[in-house]
Amino acid sequence: MTLTDIRTELDALGRLESEAIHIFREVAGEFDRPVILFSGGKDSTVLLHLAVKAFWPAPVPFPLLHVDTGHNLDEVIEFRDRTVERYGLRLHVASVQDYIDDGRLAERADGTRNPLQTVPLLDAITTNKFDAVFGGGRRDEERARAKERIFSLRNAFGQWEPRRQRPELWNLYNGRHKPGEHVRVFPLSNWTELDVWRYIERERIELPDIYYAHQRQVFKRDGMWLTPGPWFGPAEGEELVEKTVRYRTVGDGSCTGAVESDAADIAAVIAEVSASRLTERGATRADDRLSEAAMEDRKREGYF
């Protein structure tokens, strides 16, 4: 059987999986100190699943890194820790709360900590001398992410410079970088939210329960349903109500909203995502609504 025959036999998910596994192995052969960003969300969980498949039966040869805002939902942190223990991996945690406590960062007036993640992330990369950082970003999420290559060079300050993006023809990836620079690597770049969910179904990947419909007390802010927590909510005039909701994406609780949904199992979620006309970030992430170029501005500073 020729390589062409093998490619023909693969379905769409098979081709995406094959591409991602190829990227993981390329990085393992080309870099000295890679790390996988892992939050316990669906994209980073799929990313870790692919890494496990890429190197099986050997263990994943990279540690994990989580930039913890301190405002994550309890279910996600519990899932993160359970997953790390199951695979016997090493987890680095860069804590935004630690930076606030010692004065290196100041709490924002709106309570949102997502924009505060950049400094702890860059410090963790520099301290541990990571030269390749895997992320679960996808091009369909947001316009700025659609501009980024699979191998995305970051300068010595961790900043993204769109003009320094390199061509990636015929699945050839250029990981060359100077001392102090590093490369962000996005194996899920060509996936969509629907691809991710179909792959989760096919591979029977476990996720935090909040991705499926459940009863939860929520309050409405800026058109989104938020969970009460240490992120200044509900505020005066924000009524706490019981709703059947699920999360399409997870992150800082102050700016990541739930959506009303009856999709209690994976088949129902896939049907719901198939009919949606908004990406999960567009529907549930308040931090992306700060300006037309909110994500691109943060990426230029060193954000995921």
Side-chain angles (χ1 to χ4, degrees):
M1 180 180 289
T2 66
L3 183 58
T4 301
D5 294 330
I6 294 172
R7 284 175 176 163
T8 302
E9 287 189 358
L10 290 175
D11 62 6
L13 286 181
R15 288 192 292 272
L16 289 170
E17 178 190 69
S18 178
E19 177 187 58
I21 286 174
H22 168 68
I23 292 165
F24 271 109
R25 291 172 178 168
E26 280 286 303
V27 170
E30 196 168 343
F31 293 85
D32 294 322
R33 295 180 64 83
V35 68
I36 301 173
L37 291 173
F38 182 71
S39 65
K42 71 179 187 310
D43 296 315
S44 64
T45 299
V46 166
L47 200 64
L48 179 57
H49 180 85
L50 289 162
V52 170
K53 293 191 80 167
F55 301 105
W56 185 264
V60 176
F62 320 127
L64 308 180
L65 171 62
H66 182 208
V67 184
D68 184 359
T69 66
H71 284 176
N72 296 284
L73 297 176
D74 292 340
E75 298 96 321
V76 179
I77 296 299
E78 290 167 5
F79 175 80
R80 179 201 71 181
D81 293 341
R82 190 167 69 249
T83 302
V84 169
E85 183 178 1
R86 184 199 317 156
Y87 289 116
L89 299 171
R90 185 158 44 97
L91 174 68
H92 298 271
V93 178
S95 170
V96 171
Q97 186 65 56
D98 288 349
Y99 278 68
I100 292 172
D101 290 343
D102 63 21
R104 286 177 287 175
L105 289 173
E107 193 82 79
R108 290 168 53 95
D110 60 7
T112 299
R113 290 188 175 179
N114 253 20
L116 303 182
Q117 294 180 85
T118 300
V119 173
L121 169 65
L122 296 180
D123 283 354
I125 291 170
T126 301
T127 300
N128 294 283
K129 298 181 179 178
F130 295 133
D131 54 359
V133 182
F134 288 100
R138 307 187 323 268
R139 292 192 179 118
D140 74 320
E141 289 182 83
E142 204 273 341
R143 284 174 292 182
R145 288 193 167 168
K147 296 180 181 180
E148 199 152 31
R149 302 287 193 266
I150 291 173
F151 273 35
S152 178
L153 180 67
R154 302 300 172 103
N155 66 22
F157 300 100
Q159 297 169 327
W160 177 55
E161 300 176 10
R163 284 194 243 181
R164 295 185 69 193
Q165 295 282 289
R166 296 159 172 171
E168 292 178 341
L169 305 175
W170 308 293
N171 291 336
L172 297 175
Y173 306 110
N174 184 351
R176 294 177 63 184
H177 59 284
K178 298 175 184 176
E181 296 180 336
H182 71 275
V183 175
R184 305 281 174 91
V185 183
F186 301 102
L188 303 184
S189 286
N190 294 326
W191 299 51
T192 65
E193 183 185 9
L194 186 58
D195 292 329
V196 169
W197 277 107
R198 285 174 171 161
Y199 189 72
I200 289 167
E201 179 185 43
R202 192 184 83 172
E203 298 290 303
R204 299 180 181 178
I205 298 172
E206 181 187 359
L207 293 178
D209 292 340
I210 63 171
Y211 277 106
Y212 304 101
H214 59 286
Q215 288 285 316
R216 180 180 287 270
Q217 285 197 317
V218 291
F219 63 94
K220 200 159 199 176
R221 178 181 293 171
D222 297 329
M224 296 190 308
W225 292 111
L226 301 181
T227 295
W231 40 84
F232 313 118
E236 185 177 350
E238 294 175 336
E239 182 185 1
L240 202 59
V241 296
E242 186 96 357
K243 290 280 185 181
T244 301
V245 299
R246 75 176 191 86
Y247 278 82
R248 288 179 67 182
T249 184
V250 299
D252 187 76
S254 65
C255 63
T256 306
V259 295
E260 293 188 67
S261 172
D262 295 319
D265 57 44
I266 195 161
V269 170
I270 289 173
E272 185 178 273
V273 171
S274 298
S276 176
R277 292 297 175 265
L278 275 177
T279 69
E280 68 264 46
R281 293 196 71 92
T284 65
R285 295 299 287 268
D287 52 329
D288 288 339
R289 303 179 186 180
L290 296 175
S291 75
E292 284 292 322
M295 172 65 81
E296 182 159 343
D297 291 342
R298 282 178 287 150
K299 287 175 74 65
R300 289 176 183 271
E301 295 170 358
Y303 187 73
F304 314 138

